[in-house]
Amino acid sequence: MSIKNHTPPKNAKRIYRWADLPNTIEAASYLVEEPGLEPRAITVAKHKRQVLEGLLNGPMFTASYCRLSDQVLPLRRDEGLTIRCDMYANDPEIGRERYGIYVLESVVTRLHDERVAA
């Protein structure tokens, strides 16, 4: 994995706590479309949904205050989403040598607004 030395995207949002993510924890269904694969529906809830909704708004990263990676991994593994992690050098705010910014590459569309049993 290469580390980028330039400035991260301006729309990348730093997440300090779970309250910085969308307040959406109820189960919801989404349509996932990937090149070369059949579209499929997934249902996510709780922190996985908050992270997915946050990624739908744009790239995001954290300084380990809330562990996004703990929710990104199951979204990748269990739900089959393509979420890229771009590594950057020298976080000026907290002084870390490197940090990752998550970017949702899958095309994900919310299916409906009614509640879904988790």
Side-chain angles (χ1 to χ4, degrees), residues 58-105:
M60 55 188 197
F61 63 109
T62 187
S64 297
Y65 300 117
C66 76
R67 299 282 308 204
L68 294 178
S69 60
D70 288 350
Q71 302 308 316
V72 168
L73 179 62
L75 286 170
R76 286 176 174 158
R77 181 191 60 224
D78 301 340
E79 309 303 338
L81 298 179
T82 302
I83 302 171
R84 186 179 77 237
C85 183
D86 294 334
M87 297 301 294
Y88 290 85
N90 303 320
D91 184 341
E93 186 170 322
I94 63 166
R96 293 190 77 167
E97 288 183 27
R98 63 186 180 115
Y99 60 102
I101 295 180
Y102 293 108
V103 180
L104 179 64
E105 291 186 327

Side-chain angles (χ1 to χ4, degrees), residues 1 8 10 18 21 23 29 54 56 71 75-76 85 107 114 117:
M1 179 180 305
K10 289 186 188 273
W18 289 108
L21 292 165
N23 186 20
S29 296
L56 286 169
Q71 302 308 316
L75 286 170
R76 286 176 174 158
C85 183
V107 176
E114 61 190 67

